[in-house]
Amino acid sequence: MVHARAPGKINVFLKVGSLLEDGYHDVASAYQAVSLYEDVRAWPADDFSVSASGTVDLSSVPTDGSNIAIKAARLLARRTDYRGGVRLEIEKHVPVAGGMGGGSADAAATLLACDALWATGLSREDLLALATELGSDVPFSFTGGTAIGTGRGDQLSPALAKGTFQWVLAVADFGLSTPTVYQELDRHRVRHSQDIFPAPVAPSVDANVLQALRAGDPHMLAETLYNDLQAPALHLEPSLAKVLELGEQNGALAGIVSGSGPTIAFLAADLDSALELQIALSAARLTVVRATGPVHGARIIGD
Ligand code: C5P
């Protein structure tokens, strides 16, 4: 058995450019890996199977070939001419369909686990190339830390970061589909005419974000949190606006929709204010988890 672990993420900055011909958008994002992990255990088997357990709502996690972990294992087997299969068990801690890259972490951890189990001999670069084929956020879960993503979000360059940021996450009891949120953004841009809200031609990450990450200063980072998918996510789920408000009234430096949502990520000044915020949001009957970032990317925990 091989046990691999990969982190979820928060996009502390996400600018969405135009819709490209392949159906993807040109983006510029600053990713931070956070301490919510997906644990994947892999056993040798004749065919491919997956089961899920964990601390999050598992009701929408598929256990057939449409599960991204199975896709990852099959892709690796195909590319390395591996004849057998694998039995995968995923222990999930990243909210499902929450905008925090839980499925991407499953794919990244599965690639690493199967690579070790099958002793494929692939290089890190080979695995990263496979990660890119599986989804825009999979390479980042593989590398972790803090990084800038361009293209679909999969062209990564590391960013300097200091210290540890404290996050409080309000987890919704529903999911949002990433393509639906992107489509809502496109519709919004058409409704309000490209002249008024033009899609940035070549989106880039604001220099202030990089400076805040380099300084390890949560107050600075709070000023620069930005997500183009926030407005469409709020339009699709207006109840999220109240959650954002509640966090900001209870000591959060700032709140942001994580990725395509619906998880809301609140940045706290320090551990004490994060704990206070967690208590206040829990008292308002929200599902709340704390996380810190940045953390390492996918790695083997043991066998
Ligand atoms: O790459 P991934 O499978 O995570 O993307 C899911 C969907 O999100 C895509 O099919 C696309 O609709 C949307 N997307 C996008 N532009 C990106 C990343 C994702 O439009 N850069």
Side-chain angles (χ1 to χ4, degrees), residues 2-283:
V2 176
H3 175 191
R5 173 175 288 172
K9 54 82 186 171
I10 294 170
N11 302 84
V12 298
F13 184 94
L14 176 57
K15 198 149 249 185
V16 179
S18 349
L19 176 61
L20 307 174
E21 274 179 7
D22 59 8
Y24 281 81
H25 293 74
D26 199 14
V27 304
S29 181
Y31 288 104
Q32 184 174 110
V34 296
S35 60
L36 292 182
Y37 301 100
E38 301 281 273
D39 283 295
V40 172
R41 292 177 177 82
W43 283 266
D46 293 333
D47 51 12
F48 292 82
S49 65
V50 66
S51 61
S53 63
T55 51
V56 292
D57 179 6
L58 301 166
S59 52
S60 60
V61 178
T63 51
D64 60 10
S66 67
N67 187 299
I68 191 166
I70 298 270
K71 289 184 184 167
R74 283 192 194 277
L75 178 66
L76 182 65
R78 228 172 22 247
R79 294 298 164 81
T80 58
D81 288 326
Y82 181 73
R83 303 276 170 215
V86 67
R87 176 163 73 84
L88 299 167
E89 277 185 21
I90 309 179
E91 192 185 313
K92 297 185 69 69
H93 303 282
V94 180
V96 178
M100 292 192 64
S104 301
D106 295 343
T110 300
L111 280 180
L112 210 53
C114 292
D115 175 65
L117 187 70
W118 300 338
T120 68
L122 288 192
S123 67
R124 195 181 158 72
E125 282 64 37
D126 293 335
L127 289 175
L128 261 178
L130 295 183
T132 302
E133 290 185 44
L134 289 161
S136 314
D137 293 337
V138 182
F140 177 69
S141 185
F142 204 85
T143 57
T146 306
I148 302 306
T150 53
R152 294 176 174 188
D154 57 340
Q155 302 301 310
L156 298 175
S157 53
L160 290 176
K162 195 171 105 181
T164 297
F165 294 92
Q166 300 286 336
W167 296 96
V168 177
L169 304 161
V171 180
D173 55 9
F174 53 86
L176 271 175
S177 127
T178 303
T180 307
V181 178
Y182 271 102
Q183 278 160 22
E184 180 60 29
L185 175 67
D186 292 334
R187 272 200 292 272
H188 177 88
R189 284 178 168 162
V190 170
R191 266 200 307 269
H192 294 276
S193 141
Q194 296 281 343
D195 301 337
I196 307 173
F197 292 108
V201 178
S204 64
V205 174
D206 199 299
N208 293 332
V209 181
L210 302 177
Q211 206 192 334
L213 292 167
R214 259 200 320 266
D217 184 334
H219 296 272
M220 273 170 75
L221 187 62
E223 296 291 312
T224 57
L225 291 179
Y226 181 83
N227 183 2
D228 264 336
L229 296 178
Q230 176 155 321
L234 291 180
H235 196 256
L236 290 165
E237 287 292 346
S239 63
L240 294 176
K242 285 206 183 62
V243 179
L244 275 166
E245 214 172 279
L246 198 61
E248 287 171 3
Q249 283 163 355
N250 283 281
L253 297 175
I256 193 170
V257 166
S258 175
S260 55
T263 306
I264 306 278
F266 293 107
L267 184 57
D270 50 35
L271 177 58
D272 282 347
S273 28
L275 289 167
E276 274 173 35
L277 180 57
Q278 183 179 23
I279 291 168
L281 296 178
S282 303

